[in-house]
Amino acid sequence: ITYVSHLNYTEMVRLYATHDLFLSTSKWECFPYVILEAQFVGTPVIAFRIPGCTDIIQEGKTGYTAISFDDFKKKVVFCIKKYPFDTSAVANLTKKRFNSRRSMNQIVQMFQETYEKPHWSPGFERETTEKTQEAGDLICLHAPKKSQIDCG
């Protein structure tokens, strides 16, 4: 597991491309470019099932979304054990979906809808802060592809 802070563009692309998974533990996003960037170089993503993430991740094809922290952990373990992704397909599916003028219009509409709806609930900020401190804001996970890892 590699915890990262600020990277320049070249370092960021290299990091995405040399890791098997990108984990985003954010519980609030509008349009998470980090997920799009990871997928553009073929790195699948696991994130929480929230607006923004669900607009980018094609479930089971370019990554997975989780409904809880336990579900998130299960999906990480599954990906380590089975690695069900073809990185070329992840990149191609993402590029096909987002390389068009129509996609940009959809993104703008998504921003408008996201900011017009309240997404906060009581206790959400406290839960998010606790889980983020536990899991880290951004995590790239590296496990050698096709290796057998005991996740116990």
Side-chain angles (χ1 to χ4, degrees):
I1 295 178
T2 307
Y3 294 91
V4 297
S5 58
H6 177 75
L7 299 171
N8 68 41
Y9 179 75
T10 304
E11 294 169 325
M12 181 178 58
V13 171
R14 182 192 55 74
L15 190 67
Y16 288 137
T18 59
H19 284 72
D20 297 309
L21 289 171
F22 179 79
L23 309 180
S24 175
T25 60
S26 245
K27 291 279 198 135
W28 167 255
E29 290 288 349
C30 181
F31 189 77
Y33 282 98
V34 293
I35 290 174
L36 196 57
E37 292 164 346
Q39 289 183 179
F40 254 80
V41 298
T43 305
V45 175
I46 299 175
F48 284 101
R49 193 169 297 156
I50 56 173
C53 298
T54 56
D55 295 301
I56 300 172
I57 298 169
Q58 296 174 59
E59 197 71 27
K61 296 178 181 178
T62 63
Y64 290 106
T65 58
I67 57 172
S68 67
F69 194 69
D70 286 338
D71 187 35
F72 192 98
K73 290 188 291 187
K74 287 176 187 174
K75 289 182 176 169
V76 169
V77 170
F78 170 76
C79 287
I80 291 171
K81 287 182 174 182
K82 303 285 184 185
Y83 201 76
F85 300 103
D86 171 344
T87 56
S88 296
V90 170
N92 290 335
L93 285 166
T94 303
K95 290 172 186 175
K96 183 178 178 183
R97 187 170 186 185
F98 288 98
N99 273 344
S100 73
R101 171 61 78 189
R102 185 173 150 261
S103 293
M104 290 309 296
N105 289 337
Q106 289 172 327
I107 292 167
V108 169
Q109 183 174 347
M110 185 184 59
F111 272 113
Q112 289 172 332
E113 290 171 2
T114 299
Y115 284 110
E116 289 170 4
K117 296 178 194 172
H119 291 284
W120 293 97
S121 61
F124 179 83
E125 188 173 344
R126 186 186 71 255
E127 176 189 340
T128 302
T129 302
E130 290 168 0
K131 293 297 184 188
T132 300
Q133 288 171 347
E134 181 179 334
D137 273 316
L138 299 176
I139 303 170
C140 289
L141 178 73
H142 179 68
K145 286 181 174 68
K146 299 180 183 173
S147 65
Q148 295 297 320
I149 298 174
D150 180 18
C151 295

